[in-house]
Amino acid sequence: METANNHESDVSVPSFPFPFQPYDIQQRFMSELYKTLEQGKIGIFESPTGTGKSLSLICGALKWLRDYEDKQRQELEDILQGKVTLTSGDCEQVQQVSDEPDWLAEFDEKKAQSERAAQIKEKIERRLKYEERLQNLKRYTKAKFSKKRKHCEVENITTGSTAQDDTKSPSLQTTDNDNEDDDLVVNEYHSDEDSVATTTLDEDNDTEDEDDESYVTKIYYCSRTHSQLAQFVREVQKSPFGEETKVVSLGSRQNLCINENVRKLKSLSLMNDKCLEMQKNKKEAKSAEEDGRQKRRKTGVAKCPFYQNMMEYSDRVLIEVKDIEQLVEMGKDIKTCPYYGTRHTIPMAQLVVLPYNTLLHKSTRRACGIKLEGNIVVIDEAHNLLDTISNIHSIQISGIQLTKAHSQLSQYMDRYRSRLKAKNLMYIKQILYLLTRLVKCLQGQIGVPPSEQKTGPSTVKLYTINDFLFTTEMDNINLFKVLKYCEKSEISKKLNGFVEKYQPTIEVKVEERKQPTNQTAMSQFLQQLSQRSSTEQKPTTPPTQVTMETQGDENQVTRSPLQQIQEFLQALTNADKDGRVVVNKQELLSQSSVKFLLLNPAVHFTEIVQQCRSLIVAGGTMQPLSEFKQQLFYMAGVETERIREFSCGHVIPPDHLLPIVLCKGPTGVELDFTYQSRDLPNMMDELGRVLCNICSVVPGGVVCFFPSYDYESQVHTYWNKTGVLTRLLARKKVLREPKKSNQADKVLAEYTSCIKKCCGQPSGITGSLLLSVVGGKMSEGINFSDDLGRCIVMVGLPYPNIKSPELKEKMDYLNSTVKNTSGGRLPGQVHYENLCMKAVNQSIGRAIRHKDHRYSRPNIIISIFTGRAIRHRGDYASIVLVGRLCQYCVSGP
């Protein structure tokens, strides 16, 4: 089935280069995409997994970009050749208003046209010169590799002192303590007016380099994970546009940094702070050399030896399409930082590949130099876009983080009080006041170990933003000024450096017992002497302190949580109706937390929609489309006429897929996997019988999805005790989805290896059984094609907890802001059901990946409940939905 809301238009659709004969669906997909981009509209494209969506996006979008650039180039040439006369509406307005004679107005117009033509000519010449430089570098690179010259030829381009700097530059230089502490003390903070002027000047200096380069029209492509982005880049490399398209991939410092002194830091926040500090020191050293004077104070952190040769790195990135791993290797070869090198490449790139967070977070987008005006934005795997935006801008801070930040900042202020200006002290005290009020709202106290503070019975309360500020008595503080101070003074970075160097502990204030009012001065003096002598007799007793270590998080040992708290304060500046504050108070302060919950994701998506020329959201399971239109586009002010929809069915024949809804098990027990019944022993026993029967007749791989990690662990433990696991191991090798991301690849490799080894065996172990979790690592971005996914089992329906305060608040918000559906159903209830259905669709879509034949023998799948045997020569699978509720949410046979 295919649908598209075709708008009347005169857009002529060209033929699209494609590596092979495209499906009809792919041809229509590219045509609709081309029209959407040409008209500058917003497109919602749904193309099921296995229909070649990524390749269709590449060929359709890059074909439009090539045509657009040819059209722009032709228009400029026509202007230079005089075929098109430049006219200015401003000149006509001046002529109407002023009393100048006609000949003078005509002279001014010709002069403006001449100047404009000169600018266009200069732009074309600069662009041609740049293209020629890239072509020469491309020919040089090919010649070098063809002759297999030594690697030293590449290093001749770089400075000769680079290698020596790399080996001799330690991460920390031992200098005088006072000089080192100069880097930890915040600089003098001027008045707000001066700060605004300084900000404007800094921004102008930051963009000065970018103005020297042309900024070409580009496509920003983003997806959820780095593995999905790497897969997309490989598709670009294999496409007909792989040779001529200038592509750059962006990533975090964890993916791109090549400085071992930075990479060894476990926390991404620490890596960012260390990198920025080293970069700052390099700029300060360069500035000192230009001024011809020596810096008075020494720098505690060495400059980064890889922050160089950016233009050369940028040129090498653009001459050939490279993925993240290739960008890192090239950075190591020429001793250039890939993180900043890729950012330097953005202006001249035609296709920029980046993760969700970089595009959707405004400050990150601005820091990377991403300009959306006049450009194309493509968001792939957009089925979870609403949740992604909400999660990015929803911030949670714990009682431990609040008490830790207060203690660290207090010790920081006490240590450098004499060196801090009055303005700095004022704002630091305001931050300490805010931290105190946040701890108070959790019924906690400052100066007492959070793990020892009992805050009473557990309660969860929700507040509007204004009510929360009034309740916590934070409404008398100007959060905008505090946040501006945090940004300009970089107090969180300074505090991180202070914590990293001195490892301060949480100071615990021990309240002294109140002395009787009638006690004489002599008695008090004698009592003090007695206390002092008793203390000196026990020198081994440590003071009452709490270390900075949190519950098993090694990354938090040398990191201050002030940056995260700063983000929470930033969230409190949202409009009152767009968010809620959840105060989750537990019995102990260490278990309590405060969370900002974003209810309206359109708030942070509006700027993207308004600035870009055209926006494409694509995915395999985008239904229901009304949710995207209502919660993202309509709330962002987009008119209905600007939205274009395209939806198509799957390319596989219907008889290649065997869907089964299983309401009763082999022994006739009704399968009920609701939260109240799924823990019953007879329910887990019956599920075990179902899986044993499936594994007995289905060859290759079987993937079973559970609603949660906890339930999967509970069922696995029960099966191990009752012997079900032993029966499963007789037919399949049983593997479990790991909770840690770095272990997923190992499990997948073991799963694939076993299937390939056992494929075709009529007896014994015939493949693997993978126990997975809906919404986990195996439910998205993994291709269980062919023998890797012959059967997908869905245990129950993964409805979220309806009693969750956050979910209730979200549903109430939708009921009050979104219109009811055509059937009269409340938007909140529709949202609740969509959360479940989208997760199910995403999970079962892992199996069917293509329709083409990849085997020399017919494949057979047997329905274990109907006894049907079906022969196929293409990709095939069976999808089994286990549970009585599944029959109410499945349409069709």
Side-chain angles (χ1 to χ4, degrees):
M1 178 180 178
E2 178 183 336
T3 59
N5 57 340
N6 296 317
H7 300 273
E8 294 295 332
S9 64
D10 298 330
V11 178
S12 59
V13 179
S15 60
F16 298 95
F18 216 74
F20 49 83
Q21 182 64 34
Y23 304 140
D24 291 339
I25 289 178
Q26 292 175 317
Q27 186 67 39
R28 295 189 185 99
F29 185 103
M30 292 184 289
S31 299
E32 291 296 322
L33 176 63
Y34 192 96
K35 293 177 184 178
T36 304
L37 298 179
E38 183 66 21
Q39 295 173 348
K41 295 189 175 183
I42 295 175
I44 304 177
F45 284 74
E46 183 181 37
S47 182
T49 304
T51 56
K53 171 172 55 69
S54 298
L55 198 55
S56 300
L57 280 171
I58 293 170
C59 295
L62 292 181
K63 173 59 178 175
W64 174 88
L65 183 61
R66 178 197 289 177
D67 294 347
Y68 179 80
E69 291 179 342
D70 292 342
K71 189 186 304 182
Q72 292 289 98
R73 191 179 298 110
Q74 186 62 44
E75 289 178 358
L76 294 178
E77 293 177 356
D78 292 343
I79 293 174
L80 290 179
Q81 296 174 6
K83 297 180 181 180
V84 178
T85 304
L86 283 173
T87 59
S88 174
D90 296 336
C91 296
E92 296 177 0
Q93 294 177 3
V94 173
Q95 183 177 358
Q96 294 174 0
V97 176
S98 65
D99 297 331
E100 294 180 353
D102 295 341
W103 66 268
L104 186 57
E106 184 180 355
F107 174 78
D108 291 339
E109 184 176 352
K110 289 184 178 180
K111 182 180 179 181
Q113 291 179 6
S114 177
E115 292 177 352
R116 175 60 177 162
Q119 293 176 357
I120 293 174
K121 184 178 180 180
E122 182 182 358
K123 181 179 179 180
I124 294 177
E125 291 177 350
R126 186 167 62 246
R127 182 68 182 271
L128 292 176
K129 185 177 180 180
Y130 181 78
E131 295 289 345
E132 183 181 0
R133 190 176 74 193
L134 288 184
Q135 290 298 327
N136 292 336
L137 183 60
K138 195 172 186 178
R139 287 193 294 268
Y140 167 78
T141 304
K142 288 183 178 180
K144 179 175 69 69
F145 282 107
S146 63
K147 295 179 181 180
K148 296 182 180 181
R149 293 181 178 177
K150 295 181 179 180
H151 181 68
C152 61
E153 293 181 5
V154 181
E155 294 182 339
N156 290 336
I157 306 175
T158 63
T159 57
S161 60
T162 302
Q164 297 178 357
D165 293 340
D166 186 26
T167 57
K168 294 183 179 181
S169 298
S171 62
L172 292 174
Q173 296 176 348
T174 56
T175 58
D176 186 74
N177 290 336
D178 294 336
N179 292 335
E180 285 190 32
D181 286 356
D182 286 340
D183 296 324
L184 303 179
V185 180
V186 292
N187 298 326
E188 182 178 359
Y189 186 74
H190 300 283
S191 64
D192 298 328
E193 291 77 12
D194 295 340
S195 181
V196 172
T198 305
T199 303
T200 306
L201 183 61
D202 292 341
E203 291 177 354
D204 293 340
N205 292 336
D206 292 339
T207 57
E208 183 178 356
D209 296 336
E210 294 183 0
D211 294 338
D212 296 338
E213 292 281 357
S214 300
Y215 204 94
V216 301
T217 302
K218 61 184 83 283
I219 298 173
Y220 290 102
Y221 173 89
C222 66
S223 190
R224 191 174 70 93
T225 63
H226 284 286
S227 60
Q228 293 171 342
L229 295 175
Q231 184 178 353
F232 178 82
V233 172
R234 288 191 288 269
E235 292 286 344
V236 175
Q237 292 172 334
K238 295 184 293 185
S239 73
F241 300 90
E243 290 291 331
E244 59 185 35
T245 305
K246 301 178 182 65
V247 183
V248 61
S249 298
L250 304 183
S252 63
R253 288 182 174 88
Q254 283 182 327
N255 299 106
L256 293 173
C257 181
I258 59 175
N259 191 326
E260 293 300 329
N261 294 323
V262 178
R263 288 182 57 85
K264 68 182 181 181
L265 301 175
K266 298 180 180 179
S267 169
L268 177 59
S269 179
L270 287 178
M271 292 180 64
N272 292 336
D273 293 340
K274 176 72 74 175
C275 176
L276 292 174
E277 188 69 22
M278 298 175 80
Q279 176 192 346
K280 178 181 177 182
N281 291 335
K282 178 134 187 168
K283 291 182 178 178
E284 290 178 350
K286 182 178 179 181
S287 176
E289 292 175 0
E290 292 177 353
D291 294 343
R293 55 184 173 83
Q294 187 176 2
K295 292 188 67 177
R296 181 171 299 177
R297 64 183 178 88
K298 298 180 181 180
T299 304
V301 182
K303 62 183 181 181
C304 181
F306 301 104
Y307 192 73
Q308 61 180 357
N309 304 329
M310 295 301 170
M311 182 171 290
E312 178 192 350
Y313 184 89
S314 176
D315 292 344
R316 291 178 177 272
V317 170
L318 296 179
I319 63 175
E320 186 180 7
V321 180
K322 299 178 177 65
D323 57 20
I324 289 288
E325 289 76 12
Q326 293 170 328
L327 292 174
V328 171
E329 288 301 321
M330 187 178 68
K332 293 178 180 179
D333 291 340
I334 65 175
K335 309 297 182 183
T336 302
C337 173
Y339 178 77
Y340 284 104
T342 52
R343 291 170 61 175
H344 189 80
T345 311
I346 293 177
M348 294 304 296
Q350 296 170 306
L351 177 60
V352 181
V353 182
L354 67 164
Y356 270 177
N357 294 10
T358 305
L359 177 75
L360 299 176
H361 199 265
K362 181 178 179 179
S363 60
T364 306
R365 187 169 67 241
R366 189 170 60 183
C368 291
I370 295 174
K371 298 179 181 179
L372 300 179
E373 295 83 354
N375 294 317
I376 307 299
V377 175
V378 178
I379 303 178
D380 200 3
E381 301 297 338
H383 57 275
N384 58 355
L385 182 59
L386 287 167
D387 296 334
T388 300
I389 298 175
S390 298
N391 293 336
I392 289 176
H393 298 92
S394 296
I395 309 298
Q396 178 173 326
I397 50 177
S398 65
I400 289 181
Q401 291 175 313
L402 291 171
T403 53
K404 182 195 299 185
H406 188 282
S407 177
Q408 293 170 350
L409 190 59
S410 298
Q411 295 176 70
Y412 177 89
M413 184 181 66
D414 293 341
R415 185 178 185 89
Y416 305 118
R417 182 183 295 272
S418 61
R419 303 171 63 178
L420 294 173
K421 301 296 182 180
K423 207 85 171 184
N424 286 322
L425 286 173
M426 181 190 74
Y427 279 110
I428 290 177
K429 289 180 179 179
Q430 288 186 6
I431 297 173
L432 289 172
Y433 172 80
L434 294 173
L435 294 173
T436 302
R437 299 315 305 172
L438 290 173
V439 173
K440 288 289 184 183
C441 82
L442 295 173
Q443 303 297 319
Q445 298 180 14
I446 296 297
V448 181
S451 58
E452 299 178 6
Q453 289 196 55
K454 295 183 178 181
T455 58
S458 301
T459 58
V460 178
K461 295 182 180 180
L462 280 88
Y463 300 88
T464 63
I465 297 176
N466 291 339
D467 288 344
F468 178 75
L469 293 176
F470 292 141
T471 303
T472 57
E473 301 179 4
M474 294 167 55
D475 55 303
N476 58 342
I477 299 293
N478 190 330
L479 292 180
F480 293 95
K481 287 188 176 183
V482 172
L483 291 168
K484 188 175 182 181
Y485 170 78
C486 293
E487 179 184 358
K488 300 305 174 186
S489 66
E490 299 181 336
I491 180 65
S492 62
K493 297 178 184 177
K494 302 291 184 180
L495 190 59
N496 268 336
F498 172 76
V499 171
E500 183 180 1
K501 179 177 180 180
Y502 293 106
Q503 293 290 307
T505 55
I506 296 181
E507 295 181 344
V508 178
K509 300 177 182 178
V510 181
E511 296 183 0
E512 298 180 0
R513 295 180 180 178
K514 293 184 178 180
Q515 304 297 335
T517 56
N518 58 353
Q519 190 176 19
T520 62
M522 179 60 68
S523 299
Q524 295 179 11
F525 175 72
L526 292 175
Q527 184 175 1
Q528 291 176 2
L529 289 178
S530 176
Q531 292 176 353
R532 184 180 305 174
S533 61
S534 62
T535 304
E536 291 175 355
Q537 291 175 2
K538 299 178 180 180
T540 58
T541 304
T544 307
Q545 294 177 336
V546 179
T547 61
M548 291 173 49
E549 298 183 8
T550 57
Q551 299 172 351
D553 191 354
E554 297 179 356
N555 295 342
Q556 299 292 334
V557 175
T558 58
R559 177 189 173 192
S560 172
L562 187 60
Q563 178 62 40
Q564 188 171 351
I565 297 172
Q566 181 179 331
E567 294 176 1
F568 176 79
L569 297 177
Q570 180 71 50
L572 294 181
T573 61
N574 281 279
D576 185 60
K577 61 182 177 61
D578 293 331
R580 297 290 184 269
V581 179
V582 184
V583 179
N584 184 4
K585 187 176 72 68
Q586 300 297 319
E587 294 183 359
L588 293 176
L589 179 61
S590 58
Q591 301 171 351
S592 304
S593 63
V594 184
K595 179 178 181 180
F596 173 81
L597 177 65
L598 180 67
L599 298 178
N600 183 13
V603 173
H604 298 280
F605 200 66
T606 302
E607 184 176 297
I608 298 176
V609 173
Q610 293 176 345
Q611 291 183 354
C612 66
R613 171 192 173 97
S614 181
L615 172 68
I616 305 297
V617 291
T621 52
M622 298 292 291
Q623 296 292 340
L625 300 182
S626 58
E627 188 176 48
F628 278 89
K629 293 188 290 185
Q630 287 285 351
Q631 298 187 37
L632 269 187
F633 300 135
Y634 292 160
M635 287 187 174
V638 179
E639 298 178 354
T640 306
E641 294 75 17
R642 196 187 171 196
I643 300 177
R644 192 183 191 97
E645 302 174 16
F646 177 85
S647 180
C648 63
H650 215 294
V651 295
I652 64 167
D655 61 346
H656 281 220
L657 181 66
L658 178 62
I660 298 174
V661 178
L662 190 60
C663 300
K664 293 184 178 181
T667 63
V669 175
E670 186 178 50
L671 298 172
D672 183 7
F673 289 98
T674 58
Y675 187 78
Q676 295 78 10
S677 305
R678 67 184 188 183
D679 296 338
L680 298 176
N682 65 329
M683 205 58 57
M684 292 187 283
D685 287 334
E686 198 70 5
L687 176 61
R689 297 186 188 98
V690 170
L691 272 182
C692 286
N693 290 347
I694 291 176
C695 293
S696 298
V697 296
V698 175
V702 177
V703 184
C704 180
F705 285 99
F706 289 86
S708 65
Y709 283 103
D710 291 338
Y711 188 59
E712 184 274 335
S713 177
Q714 179 182 354
V715 171
H716 184 271
T717 302
Y718 181 81
W719 285 351
N720 192 26
K721 293 180 180 179
T722 58
V724 175
L725 194 60
T726 304
R727 298 204 305 270
L728 289 173
L729 288 171
R731 300 297 294 173
K732 303 285 185 184
K733 182 175 183 178
V734 180
L735 299 170
R736 302 173 65 189
E737 177 181 323
K739 289 186 178 181
K740 295 184 178 180
S741 300
N742 56 1
Q743 299 176 356
D745 291 340
K746 181 181 178 181
V747 173
L748 281 174
E750 191 175 356
Y751 174 80
T752 304
S753 174
C754 179
I755 292 174
K756 291 181 178 180
K757 181 180 179 181
C758 304
C759 183
Q761 294 184 6
S763 60
I765 297 179
T766 60
S768 299
L769 169 64
L770 181 58
L771 305 181
S772 305
V773 176
V774 176
K777 303 161 192 64
M778 307 299 177
S779 63
E780 184 176 345
I782 305 297
N783 297 340
F784 292 112
S785 59
D786 302 324
D787 278 332
L788 298 184
R790 291 306 180 197
C791 184
I792 304 294
V793 180
M794 178 67 59
V795 180
L797 295 177
Y799 281 105
N801 183 10
I802 191 64
K803 297 182 180 180
S804 168
E806 299 179 14
L807 179 58
K808 282 185 177 180
E809 195 67 26
K810 178 70 174 181
M811 294 171 64
D812 292 341
Y813 172 79
L814 293 176
N815 291 336
S816 61
T817 56
V818 180
K819 295 180 180 179
N820 291 358
T821 60
S822 57
R825 303 170 63 201
L826 293 176
Q829 183 65 27
V830 174
H831 171 73
Y832 175 72
E833 295 175 0
N834 290 341
L835 290 175
C836 173
M837 292 300 103
K838 287 194 292 186
V840 171
N841 290 337
Q842 194 65 24
S843 298
I844 64 179
R846 299 304 93 208
I848 303 298
R849 312 304 296 182
H850 61 84
K851 74 171 185 178
D852 300 323
H853 165 53
R854 294 190 179 181
Y855 298 93
S856 58
R857 58 177 179 80
N859 296 306
I860 301 176
I861 181 168
I862 303 175
S863 172
I864 58 175
F865 306 105
T866 64
R868 273 193 303 151
I870 308 173
R871 290 177 176 266
H872 291 298
R873 287 188 174 273
D875 197 9
Y876 67 89
S878 176
I879 297 175
V880 182
L881 302 180
V882 182
R884 62 178 181 84
L885 294 181
C886 298
Q887 61 183 323
Y888 302 112
C889 62
V890 178
S891 59

